Amino acid sequence: MITKDGVSRSQTEFFSENGYLVLPDFIDAQACLQLRDRAMYLAETLCPTPQEATVFTADGTAEHATDNYFLSSGDKIRCFFEKDAFDENGNLRQQAHLCLNKLGHAMHDLDPVFRDFSHSVRLAAVAQSVGLAQELLLQSMYIFKQPRIGGEVACHVDHTYLWTEPQSVVGFWFAIDDATTQNGCMWALPGGHRIPVKTRNRVNESRTVSTMEVLDPTPYPTEGLVPLEAPRGTLIVLNGTLPHRSGPNTSDKPRHAYTIHVIDGTADYPPDNWLQRPSMPMLGFMN
Ligand code: FE2
């Protein structure tokens, strides 16, 4: 039971112990479907040509790391293609908007439907319950994980890419479709948020390339991750230092999800993070 006062004490304790929290039925199905429709509309209307845009890979190859279209998307709504969306001749296999990996990274500020979805007293209460003193919405992503071509996301922690001092990022992940082990649900390592962070992504001064600083070369454990299957409307809250991944979507069912990453306004957000929002201040869940 989630109230305007936040999650229960046992849920807070579970989050603190395990680094994640699964809240089924947090959003009603109608709101999920409305967001889904809006995402498809944005994909269709904003979809660039493949030449203008970026292939987004999160499987460790990081093709987008030197790409201005990606690195300047923090205060915009942009579209990123799946790697497997292209055939051997470099042509899209189907209509462009059905080949997208995701939209990012400021729908929560720039689009009225996403803005409404992303702001509520209930989300503010959850943020407070998991320890954020002054939550600020840093980025949003709508992830399509399309049937057959939806790519995997390799095991990582969000703090690597959204660094604050001290660490503060928390992920809010909404299941817009049912997420299962067949269509690429999230997997997470219970308690893994206590492992010291192994990598830090930084952008250079001219903001033309981001590189990965290795703080600890040993990999995250590959054993022990658990699937977080999530029916439509589920909210999963993730500590920013929790190792998590998702598999490819090899099924014929879509697996849409919406994520918001929130940082604490009391923490420092360094200028060498790839994501900057020069045109917009960050707001809280109730602004
Ligand atoms: Fe992540």
Side-chain angles (χ1 to χ4, degrees), residues 172-191:
F172 287 71
W173 190 100
F174 301 89
I176 302 301
D177 290 324
D178 295 343
T180 68
T181 53
Q182 280 79 45
N183 67 1
C185 72
M186 184 110 68
W187 293 67
L189 182 66

PDB file of all heavy atoms in Angstrom, residues 172-191:
ATOM      1  N   PHE A 172      13.826   5.561 -11.309  1.00  0.00           N
ATOM      2  CA  PHE A 172      12.402   5.215 -11.226  1.00  0.00           C
ATOM      3  C   PHE A 172      12.036   4.605 -12.582  1.00  0.00           C
ATOM      4  O   PHE A 172      12.074   5.289 -13.604  1.00  0.00           O
ATOM      5  CB  PHE A 172      11.554   6.471 -10.953  1.00  0.00           C
ATOM      6  CG  PHE A 172      11.682   6.986  -9.538  1.00  0.00           C
ATOM      7  CD1 PHE A 172      12.851   7.590  -9.100  1.00  0.00           C
ATOM      8  CD2 PHE A 172      10.627   6.863  -8.648  1.00  0.00           C
ATOM      9  CE1 PHE A 172      12.975   8.055  -7.792  1.00  0.00           C
ATOM     10  CE2 PHE A 172      10.729   7.328  -7.345  1.00  0.00           C
ATOM     11  CZ  PHE A 172      11.907   7.925  -6.912  1.00  0.00           C
ATOM     12  N   TRP A 173      11.709   3.321 -12.580  1.00  0.00           N
ATOM     13  CA  TRP A 173      11.501   2.546 -13.819  1.00  0.00           C
ATOM     14  C   TRP A 173      10.053   2.074 -13.844  1.00  0.00           C
ATOM     15  O   TRP A 173       9.623   1.319 -12.957  1.00  0.00           O
ATOM     16  CB  TRP A 173      12.484   1.377 -13.798  1.00  0.00           C
ATOM     17  CG  TRP A 173      12.626   0.560 -15.047  1.00  0.00           C
ATOM     18  CD1 TRP A 173      13.610   0.653 -15.975  1.00  0.00           C
ATOM     19  CD2 TRP A 173      11.774  -0.520 -15.481  1.00  0.00           C
ATOM     20  NE1 TRP A 173      13.417  -0.294 -16.966  1.00  0.00           N
ATOM     21  CE2 TRP A 173      12.307  -1.013 -16.688  1.00  0.00           C
ATOM     22  CE3 TRP A 173      10.602  -1.106 -14.972  1.00  0.00           C
ATOM     23  CZ2 TRP A 173      11.717  -2.070 -17.383  1.00  0.00           C
ATOM     24  CZ3 TRP A 173      10.016  -2.148 -15.673  1.00  0.00           C
ATOM     25  CH2 TRP A 173      10.585  -2.622 -16.864  1.00  0.00           C
ATOM     26  N   PHE A 174       9.307   2.526 -14.847  1.00  0.00           N
ATOM     27  CA  PHE A 174       7.877   2.195 -14.929  1.00  0.00           C
ATOM     28  C   PHE A 174       7.650   1.177 -16.047  1.00  0.00           C
ATOM     29  O   PHE A 174       8.044   1.421 -17.201  1.00  0.00           O
ATOM     30  CB  PHE A 174       7.061   3.449 -15.247  1.00  0.00           C
ATOM     31  CG  PHE A 174       7.209   4.569 -14.241  1.00  0.00           C
ATOM     32  CD1 PHE A 174       8.208   5.524 -14.391  1.00  0.00           C
ATOM     33  CD2 PHE A 174       6.360   4.660 -13.145  1.00  0.00           C
ATOM     34  CE1 PHE A 174       8.354   6.563 -13.479  1.00  0.00           C
ATOM     35  CE2 PHE A 174       6.495   5.695 -12.217  1.00  0.00           C
ATOM     36  CZ  PHE A 174       7.497   6.644 -12.392  1.00  0.00           C
ATOM     37  N   ALA A 175       6.992   0.083 -15.713  1.00  0.00           N
ATOM     38  CA  ALA A 175       6.633  -0.907 -16.741  1.00  0.00           C
ATOM     39  C   ALA A 175       5.400  -0.397 -17.493  1.00  0.00           C
ATOM     40  O   ALA A 175       4.309  -0.338 -16.934  1.00  0.00           O
ATOM     41  CB  ALA A 175       6.330  -2.253 -16.088  1.00  0.00           C
ATOM     42  N   ILE A 176       5.593  -0.024 -18.769  1.00  0.00           N
ATOM     43  CA  ILE A 176       4.471   0.442 -19.587  1.00  0.00           C
ATOM     44  C   ILE A 176       3.808  -0.754 -20.279  1.00  0.00           C
ATOM     45  O   ILE A 176       2.616  -0.752 -20.529  1.00  0.00           O
ATOM     46  CB  ILE A 176       4.967   1.491 -20.607  1.00  0.00           C
ATOM     47  CG1 ILE A 176       5.625   2.669 -19.862  1.00  0.00           C
ATOM     48  CG2 ILE A 176       3.833   1.965 -21.514  1.00  0.00           C
ATOM     49  CD1 ILE A 176       4.729   3.399 -18.887  1.00  0.00           C
ATOM     50  N   ASP A 177       4.598  -1.776 -20.580  1.00  0.00           N
ATOM     51  CA  ASP A 177       4.069  -3.090 -20.983  1.00  0.00           C
ATOM     52  C   ASP A 177       4.484  -4.091 -19.896  1.00  0.00           C
ATOM     53  O   ASP A 177       5.372  -3.807 -19.095  1.00  0.00           O
ATOM     54  CB  ASP A 177       4.690  -3.544 -22.315  1.00  0.00           C
ATOM     55  CG  ASP A 177       4.213  -2.726 -23.499  1.00  0.00           C
ATOM     56  OD1 ASP A 177       3.031  -2.331 -23.527  1.00  0.00           O
ATOM     57  OD2 ASP A 177       5.037  -2.493 -24.407  1.00  0.00           O
ATOM     58  N   ASP A 178       3.875  -5.266 -19.919  1.00  0.00           N
ATOM     59  CA  ASP A 178       4.329  -6.327 -19.019  1.00  0.00           C
ATOM     60  C   ASP A 178       5.779  -6.677 -19.374  1.00  0.00           C
ATOM     61  O   ASP A 178       6.086  -6.930 -20.545  1.00  0.00           O
ATOM     62  CB  ASP A 178       3.474  -7.591 -19.193  1.00  0.00           C
ATOM     63  CG  ASP A 178       2.023  -7.383 -18.786  1.00  0.00           C
ATOM     64  OD1 ASP A 178       1.729  -6.393 -18.080  1.00  0.00           O
ATOM     65  OD2 ASP A 178       1.179  -8.220 -19.170  1.00  0.00           O
ATOM     66  N   ALA A 179       6.660  -6.679 -18.391  1.00  0.00           N
ATOM     67  CA  ALA A 179       8.065  -7.040 -18.620  1.00  0.00           C
ATOM     68  C   ALA A 179       8.317  -8.423 -18.029  1.00  0.00           C
ATOM     69  O   ALA A 179       8.066  -8.653 -16.845  1.00  0.00           O
ATOM     70  CB  ALA A 179       8.990  -6.012 -17.974  1.00  0.00           C
ATOM     71  N   THR A 180       8.782  -9.344 -18.865  1.00  0.00           N
ATOM     72  CA  THR A 180       9.005 -10.723 -18.452  1.00  0.00           C
ATOM     73  C   THR A 180      10.423 -11.153 -18.860  1.00  0.00           C
ATOM     74  O   THR A 180      11.118 -10.419 -19.573  1.00  0.00           O
ATOM     75  CB  THR A 180       7.994 -11.669 -19.141  1.00  0.00           C
ATOM     76  OG1 THR A 180       8.302 -11.692 -20.550  1.00  0.00           O
ATOM     77  CG2 THR A 180       6.556 -11.209 -18.950  1.00  0.00           C
ATOM     78  N   THR A 181      10.806 -12.343 -18.442  1.00  0.00           N
ATOM     79  CA  THR A 181      12.129 -12.830 -18.848  1.00  0.00           C
ATOM     80  C   THR A 181      12.178 -13.069 -20.363  1.00  0.00           C
ATOM     81  O   THR A 181      13.247 -13.052 -20.962  1.00  0.00           O
ATOM     82  CB  THR A 181      12.492 -14.141 -18.111  1.00  0.00           C
ATOM     83  OG1 THR A 181      11.427 -15.072 -18.294  1.00  0.00           O
ATOM     84  CG2 THR A 181      12.703 -13.893 -16.635  1.00  0.00           C
ATOM     85  N   GLN A 182      11.005 -13.256 -20.988  1.00  0.00           N
ATOM     86  CA  GLN A 182      10.989 -13.486 -22.440  1.00  0.00           C
ATOM     87  C   GLN A 182      11.229 -12.197 -23.234  1.00  0.00           C
ATOM     88  O   GLN A 182      11.880 -12.215 -24.270  1.00  0.00           O
ATOM     89  CB  GLN A 182       9.648 -14.095 -22.899  1.00  0.00           C
ATOM     90  CG  GLN A 182       9.523 -15.578 -22.676  1.00  0.00           C
ATOM     91  CD  GLN A 182       9.174 -15.896 -21.224  1.00  0.00           C
ATOM     92  OE1 GLN A 182       8.307 -15.242 -20.655  1.00  0.00           O
ATOM     93  NE2 GLN A 182       9.848 -16.864 -20.626  1.00  0.00           N
ATOM     94  N   ASN A 183      10.673 -11.094 -22.756  1.00  0.00           N
ATOM     95  CA  ASN A 183      10.810  -9.865 -23.559  1.00  0.00           C
ATOM     96  C   ASN A 183      11.820  -8.872 -22.977  1.00  0.00           C
ATOM     97  O   ASN A 183      11.848  -7.712 -23.374  1.00  0.00           O
ATOM     98  CB  ASN A 183       9.445  -9.206 -23.824  1.00  0.00           C
ATOM     99  CG  ASN A 183       8.792  -8.659 -22.564  1.00  0.00           C
ATOM    100  OD1 ASN A 183       9.345  -8.740 -21.474  1.00  0.00           O
ATOM    101  ND2 ASN A 183       7.599  -8.106 -22.718  1.00  0.00           N
ATOM    102  N   GLY A 184      12.675  -9.345 -22.072  1.00  0.00           N
ATOM    103  CA  GLY A 184      13.804  -8.505 -21.653  1.00  0.00           C
ATOM    104  C   GLY A 184      13.563  -7.676 -20.413  1.00  0.00           C
ATOM    105  O   GLY A 184      13.896  -6.483 -20.378  1.00  0.00           O
ATOM    106  N   CYS A 185      13.018  -8.285 -19.366  1.00  0.00           N
ATOM    107  CA  CYS A 185      12.816  -7.556 -18.107  1.00  0.00           C
ATOM    108  C   CYS A 185      14.159  -7.206 -17.462  1.00  0.00           C
ATOM    109  O   CYS A 185      15.214  -7.712 -17.855  1.00  0.00           O
ATOM    110  CB  CYS A 185      11.958  -8.376 -17.134  1.00  0.00           C
ATOM    111  SG  CYS A 185      12.815  -9.809 -16.418  1.00  0.00           S
ATOM    112  N   MET A 186      14.081  -6.364 -16.475  1.00  0.00           N
ATOM    113  CA  MET A 186      15.267  -5.983 -15.715  1.00  0.00           C
ATOM    114  C   MET A 186      15.711  -7.142 -14.816  1.00  0.00           C
ATOM    115  O   MET A 186      14.898  -7.892 -14.289  1.00  0.00           O
ATOM    116  CB  MET A 186      14.888  -4.802 -14.838  1.00  0.00           C
ATOM    117  CG  MET A 186      16.028  -4.249 -14.080  1.00  0.00           C
ATOM    118  SD  MET A 186      16.455  -2.669 -14.699  1.00  0.00           S
ATOM    119  CE  MET A 186      15.016  -1.739 -14.209  1.00  0.00           C
ATOM    120  N   TRP A 187      17.037  -7.237 -14.648  1.00  0.00           N
ATOM    121  CA  TRP A 187      17.645  -8.138 -13.665  1.00  0.00           C
ATOM    122  C   TRP A 187      18.509  -7.284 -12.735  1.00  0.00           C
ATOM    123  O   TRP A 187      19.167  -6.343 -13.198  1.00  0.00           O
ATOM    124  CB  TRP A 187      18.536  -9.175 -14.341  1.00  0.00           C
ATOM    125  CG  TRP A 187      17.818 -10.170 -15.211  1.00  0.00           C
ATOM    126  CD1 TRP A 187      17.156  -9.932 -16.374  1.00  0.00           C
ATOM    127  CD2 TRP A 187      17.702 -11.585 -14.981  1.00  0.00           C
ATOM    128  NE1 TRP A 187      16.634 -11.100 -16.892  1.00  0.00           N
ATOM    129  CE2 TRP A 187      16.960 -12.132 -16.044  1.00  0.00           C
ATOM    130  CE3 TRP A 187      18.166 -12.445 -13.975  1.00  0.00           C
ATOM    131  CZ2 TRP A 187      16.654 -13.488 -16.144  1.00  0.00           C
ATOM    132  CZ3 TRP A 187      17.870 -13.798 -14.066  1.00  0.00           C
ATOM    133  CH2 TRP A 187      17.122 -14.310 -15.137  1.00  0.00           C
ATOM    134  N   ALA A 188      18.523  -7.616 -11.445  1.00  0.00           N
ATOM    135  CA  ALA A 188      19.311  -6.820 -10.506  1.00  0.00           C
ATOM    136  C   ALA A 188      19.997  -7.733  -9.499  1.00  0.00           C
ATOM    137  O   ALA A 188      19.545  -8.857  -9.252  1.00  0.00           O
ATOM    138  CB  ALA A 188      18.409  -5.816  -9.785  1.00  0.00           C
ATOM    139  N   LEU A 189      21.078  -7.235  -8.921  1.00  0.00           N
ATOM    140  CA  LEU A 189      21.876  -8.010  -7.954  1.00  0.00           C
ATOM    141  C   LEU A 189      21.502  -7.559  -6.535  1.00  0.00           C
ATOM    142  O   LEU A 189      21.940  -6.491  -6.090  1.00  0.00           O
ATOM    143  CB  LEU A 189      23.363  -7.766  -8.210  1.00  0.00           C
ATOM    144  CG  LEU A 189      24.343  -8.536  -7.329  1.00  0.00           C
ATOM    145  CD1 LEU A 189      24.262 -10.042  -7.600  1.00  0.00           C
ATOM    146  CD2 LEU A 189      25.773  -8.037  -7.550  1.00  0.00           C
ATOM    147  N   PRO A 190      20.689  -8.363  -5.824  1.00  0.00           N
ATOM    148  CA  PRO A 190      20.257  -7.933  -4.489  1.00  0.00           C
ATOM    149  C   PRO A 190      21.459  -7.649  -3.586  1.00  0.00           C
ATOM    150  O   PRO A 190      22.370  -8.465  -3.475  1.00  0.00           O
ATOM    151  CB  PRO A 190      19.456  -9.136  -3.971  1.00  0.00           C
ATOM    152  CG  PRO A 190      18.989  -9.834  -5.214  1.00  0.00           C
ATOM    153  CD  PRO A 190      20.105  -9.657  -6.194  1.00  0.00           C
ATOM    154  N   GLY A 191      21.456  -6.481  -2.973  1.00  0.00           N
ATOM    155  CA  GLY A 191      22.544  -6.094  -2.074  1.00  0.00           C
ATOM    156  C   GLY A 191      23.777  -5.566  -2.791  1.00  0.00           C
ATOM    157  O   GLY A 191      24.726  -5.095  -2.135  1.00  0.00           O
TER     158      GLY A 191
END
